[in-house]
Amino acid sequence: MNTIMLKAYAKINLGLDVLGKREDGYHEVRMIMQNIRLYDKLTMKRINEDKIILKTNLTYLPTNENNLVYRAIQLLKEEFHIKQGVHVELQKHIPVAAGLAGGSSDAAATLIGMNRLFHLKLSKNDLMERAVKLGADIPYCILGGTALSEGIGEVLTPLAPMPNAYVLIAKPPINVSTKYVYENLKLDEQTKHPDIDGIIKAIDSKDLHGVTERLNNVLESVTIEKYPVIQEIKETMIQFGAMNALMSGSGPTVFGIFEDLNLARKAFYQLKIEGKAKQIYLTDIFNRKRG
Ligand code: ATP
């Protein structure tokens, strides 16, 4: 087996709470993570030359140590003294810097790919332990499916699968710095924290309405204040039949949850017409956990 192909799935946050700031500067979070069927594709090949060669369809993405795929390969190459090289072709479909964990998911798929390509015999937990060195969301991307994420994102509890639904994704053409959002987050008595436990209960009882009525992301207050277009996109989705809509991660991507495919299609075309979002995808909840 010299070549393998992998899919790296995007995630949305059905709930995102920030509990406070730790002494080391990281924020303590409580989030419900959910994969959606929107993915990057990676083709990984073993090569004899001791080199990491990364090619991607997005010319503006780095292909050196600044790409998480490169760093994931480097991490395992060094630990296991691998003297062969790796050639990776990364086909990006997940919007970049969007709050959809695209880079984290690519890194997770790369660790899984390295494990298979070089027969490293690492368990899922072994991979997750290494993943956190590259980024807080990467262990979740290895686990996949529906999960509660706590700590700085690395303390994971798998949950029952989220009931299926259509998911409309819309990213306005703005760049949101995650650092800016966290730095400007003010937590006080006025903060409306998401009902994370209520979402978990609703997921457990396969109650899609129970989940959607509780969608809440504490970071919206910061990002929407700076970029009101996010609120406008949410309103369009709801007006056109979404059960509810929310910003994912630190933004700026908005996702809407739909029970009805026809309504989701209509909302999709409406967003196209309005032109506020430039990257729009109609997809659905993806629940298969990685084996
Ligand atoms: P998160 O939801 O975890 O905050 P994100 O979706 O907001 O992630 P990414 O798409 O992962 O953000 O990219 C953020 C930055 O990381 C980009 O500016 C990019 O230069 C860099 N990056 C490194 N590796 C990758 C990769 N494989 N794919 C996309 N971006 C990458």
Side-chain angles (χ1 to χ4, degrees):
M1 186 184 54
N2 273 328
T3 304
I4 50 174
M5 283 166 70
L6 299 123
K7 289 177 181 172
Y9 289 86
K11 66 87 186 147
I12 52 174
N13 300 100
L14 301 171
L16 194 163
D17 199 7
V18 179
L19 307 180
K21 200 172 173 181
R22 307 196 313 191
E23 283 196 346
D24 60 9
Y26 284 101
H27 284 84
E28 188 92 22
V29 293
R30 208 155 178 253
M31 319 187 274
I32 309 278
M33 318 286 276
Q34 176 61 53
N35 278 142
I36 53 172
R37 203 184 304 272
L38 173 64
Y39 52 83
D40 295 340
K41 280 190 192 161
L42 289 95
T43 308
M44 299 181 71
K45 249 185 245 161
R46 261 192 339 223
I47 53 173
N48 287 329
E49 211 183 337
D50 187 2
K51 259 178 129 176
I52 300 171
I53 303 169
L54 173 57
K55 307 264 183 216
T56 166
N57 57 321
L58 291 187
T59 47
Y60 60 85
L61 271 191
T63 51
N64 55 14
E65 296 81 9
N66 294 322
N67 196 303
L68 282 165
V69 168
Y70 192 105
R71 284 222 291 282
I73 296 172
Q74 216 172 26
L75 183 84
L76 293 186
K77 250 172 93 32
E78 279 170 16
E79 181 180 343
F80 292 91
H81 311 291
I82 297 169
K83 294 290 167 234
Q84 275 188 309
V86 185
H87 181 285
V88 190
E89 226 178 276
L90 169 63
Q91 217 180 92
K92 289 291 299 180
H93 299 286
I94 305 172
V96 173
L100 298 171
S104 298
S105 191
D106 294 343
T110 304
L111 293 174
I112 291 167
M114 286 294 287
N115 193 32
R116 289 198 205 143
L117 264 186
F118 294 99
H119 311 289
L120 304 179
K121 299 194 167 64
L122 296 169
S123 67
K124 201 186 246 191
N125 275 338
D126 294 336
L127 288 173
M128 285 160 69
E129 269 170 28
R130 284 150 181 93
V132 73
K133 297 181 194 163
L134 299 169
D137 282 349
I138 306 178
Y140 161 72
C141 296
I142 288 178
L143 182 68
T146 313
L148 170 67
S149 160
E150 296 173 292
I152 61 163
E154 86 294 14
V155 182
L156 295 165
T157 312
L159 300 174
M162 152 86 174
N164 208 359
Y166 300 100
V167 181
L168 186 56
I169 296 288
K171 181 187 175 281
I174 47 180
N175 286 320
V176 175
S177 141
T178 303
K179 194 163 169 268
Y180 168 89
V181 175
Y182 275 95
E183 276 176 5
N184 286 279
L185 176 67
K186 286 179 203 78
L187 296 170
D188 53 32
E189 351 21 276
Q190 253 98 70
T191 307
K192 200 179 157 290
H193 289 278
D195 176 11
I196 298 287
D197 295 323
I199 298 177
I200 295 173
K201 279 200 192 106
I203 290 173
D204 269 341
S205 45
K206 307 201 181 315
D207 172 11
L208 183 59
H209 281 91
V211 175
T212 55
E213 71 191 14
R214 291 181 175 85
L215 294 184
N216 184 6
N217 176 350
V218 89
L219 301 178
E220 273 193 341
S221 57
V222 183
T223 317
I224 291 181
E225 196 185 333
K226 188 145 195 243
Y227 303 106
V229 67
I230 294 169
Q231 181 63 26
E232 291 163 22
I233 294 171
K234 282 181 68 174
E235 280 164 16
T236 299
M237 287 198 191
I238 292 166
Q239 194 191 336
F240 279 76
M243 299 168 78
N244 205 348
L246 190 73
M247 183 183 86
S248 188
S250 53
T253 303
V254 174
F255 67 88
I257 307 265
F258 292 77
E259 255 179 327
D260 182 315
L261 179 57
N262 279 326
L263 289 178
R265 287 200 177 117
K266 282 187 183 140
F268 175 96
Y269 289 115
Q270 180 63 24
L271 287 169
K272 286 260 180 209
I273 292 164
E274 287 181 4
K276 289 173 184 162
K278 295 289 176 223
Q279 287 172 286
I280 310 170
Y281 302 91
L282 178 50
T283 178
D284 67 348
I285 295 290
F286 181 73
N287 269 321
R288 189 163 52 80
K289 295 211 165 91
R290 287 190 186 279

